[in-house]
Amino acid sequence: MSVTAPSRPPRAARRGRARPRGRAALLGWLYATPTAVFVVALFAVPLLLVFRMSLSKWPLLAGDQGVNAPDNFVKAVEHRFFADSVLFTLKYTALATVLLLALALGLALLVQESSRWNNLLRASFLIPSALGLASASLLFYVFYSPYASPLSPVMERLGLSFLDSPTSALLSTTFLIVWRYAGFYMVLMLVGLQGIPAEVYEAARTDGASRWQTFRKVTLPLLRPTLALTTVLCVTGSLLAFEQFYILTKGGPDNSTITVVQLIYMVAFQGQNDLGVAAAISVIVLAALVLINALQLRAFRSGEN
């Protein structure tokens, strides 16, 4: 008994099937083209230009004067404010990250259950996030002013100030950031909490777990992806801090609140007017960001395993 091999479809039929696939692929490329152009024009090209500037002598008003690598990186590391700005940025990042994530998680747990009162609280916590950071910084600049602040008489009697010492300037600026971003991170935490199945909590209650045990053994492990995302966002944003310190403190008092991004701005547009050294600092910051974020993600993954 002979077995007949299945016949292949005619070539014309195969071409007919390939045409819709080709059209779909072409349509997909057409949809993706504007985004690709946007990414190339506003990210890839500037990034390549920064790398080129970091390896060249590039005064602000004179343009490219030729390759001088690695002089820009040596000047960047030896800048008188480089070490202090790095240490201050790391200190601010640690403080802001801990306060923001702890407060955001607490607020998310507070308004986790859906009710009319909790919905009102969610909206109230989220309102500051609708305000731009520069606008919020200007608002707090007036609030911290010894001349216009409603708290200035009380602060004067107590002998305290908001921005006149390095510690008070750091704490005052951190308070602004926590006020501005706590609602945003609360929403991210809330999404993660609502993604945890209710059956898991029911099983924990059935096993007799207390609230603290449920939080530590159930909520935190299942919230790990959200915590990883919020930590990366918070650390990255804090390391790139600029507007709040530029508006509130201008790097003072006594150059004690200069962040790394402020230093880049100062080197590029104030005093030195050296885009090459500023680009070298930018490359160092980019490499540090990539390394720090990679270490964070690795730490969360190892903890999950």
Side-chain angles (χ1 to χ4, degrees):
M1 180 178 179
S2 62
V3 179
T4 338
S7 59
R8 297 180 61 187
R11 184 175 299 177
R14 293 199 302 270
R15 288 178 181 174
R17 294 176 186 174
R19 286 175 185 173
R21 295 178 183 175
R23 291 174 183 174
L26 179 61
L27 189 61
W29 280 107
L30 290 176
Y31 282 134
T33 297
T35 302
V37 171
F38 181 85
V39 170
V40 170
L42 299 181
F43 179 77
V45 173
L47 186 61
L48 293 176
L49 181 60
V50 167
F51 277 110
R52 180 185 172 188
M53 292 169 65
S54 68
L55 302 174
S56 304
K57 184 179 180 182
W58 203 304
L60 177 62
L61 301 177
D64 189 3
Q65 301 294 307
V67 176
N68 69 339
D71 292 350
N72 289 335
F73 290 91
V74 174
K75 291 179 181 178
V77 175
E78 293 179 349
H79 194 280
R80 58 176 181 153
F81 292 137
F82 181 78
D84 292 338
S85 66
V86 170
L87 290 175
F88 175 76
T89 303
L90 293 176
K91 180 167 64 173
Y92 163 73
T93 299
L95 180 62
T97 300
V98 171
L99 292 178
L100 261 178
L101 296 187
L103 181 60
L105 180 56
L107 294 177
L109 292 171
L110 177 65
V111 299
Q112 183 178 5
E113 300 296 333
S114 181
S115 66
R116 181 178 300 178
W117 175 247
N118 282 346
N119 290 338
L120 178 62
L121 286 178
R122 291 179 188 178
S124 302
F125 296 148
L126 194 58
I127 284 175
S129 300
L131 192 64
L133 182 55
S135 302
S137 300
L138 289 172
L139 176 65
F140 272 74
Y141 181 78
V142 176
F143 182 75
Y144 291 152
S145 170
Y147 308 104
S149 173
L151 298 179
S152 58
V154 179
M155 299 295 290
E156 186 176 355
R157 290 176 185 175
L158 296 176
L160 302 176
S161 64
F162 287 108
L163 302 172
D164 287 348
S165 68
T167 302
S168 64
L170 172 62
L171 295 178
S172 299
T173 308
T174 304
F175 178 78
L176 157 66
I177 294 302
V178 171
W179 175 83
R180 166 65 177 77
Y181 286 101
F184 170 74
Y185 287 104
M186 177 202 70
V187 172
L188 297 181
M189 295 286 189
L190 193 58
V191 172
L193 288 173
Q194 292 179 345
I196 300 176
E199 294 81 4
V200 179
Y201 289 112
E202 293 177 2
R205 284 193 295 268
T206 303
D207 291 339
S210 64
R211 289 188 176 183
W212 170 247
Q213 289 174 331
T214 302
F215 174 75
R216 190 164 59 91
K217 297 293 187 179
V218 176
T219 303
L220 284 182
L222 295 179
L223 201 62
R224 193 179 298 274
T226 303
L227 291 174
L229 171 63
T230 52
T231 303
V232 168
L233 290 177
C234 193
V235 169
T236 302
S238 300
L239 289 175
L240 299 179
F242 175 73
E243 295 100 322
Q244 60 269 37
F245 288 102
Y246 182 78
I247 293 175
L248 290 179
T249 68
K250 294 291 191 299
D254 299 328
N255 300 314
S256 61
T257 59
I258 297 178
T259 63
V260 177
V261 178
Q262 271 185 289
L263 180 62
I264 295 172
Y265 176 81
M266 291 168 55
V267 171
F269 303 110
Q270 294 178 346
Q272 290 182 246
N273 294 330
D274 193 331
L275 296 181
V277 177
I281 301 176
S282 301
V283 172
I284 294 173
V285 172
L286 176 61
L289 279 175
V290 172
L291 177 62
I292 290 173
N293 288 335
L295 291 176
Q296 289 181 94
L297 294 176
R298 183 175 181 180
F300 276 102
R301 287 172 184 167
S302 62
E304 185 175 344
N305 292 335

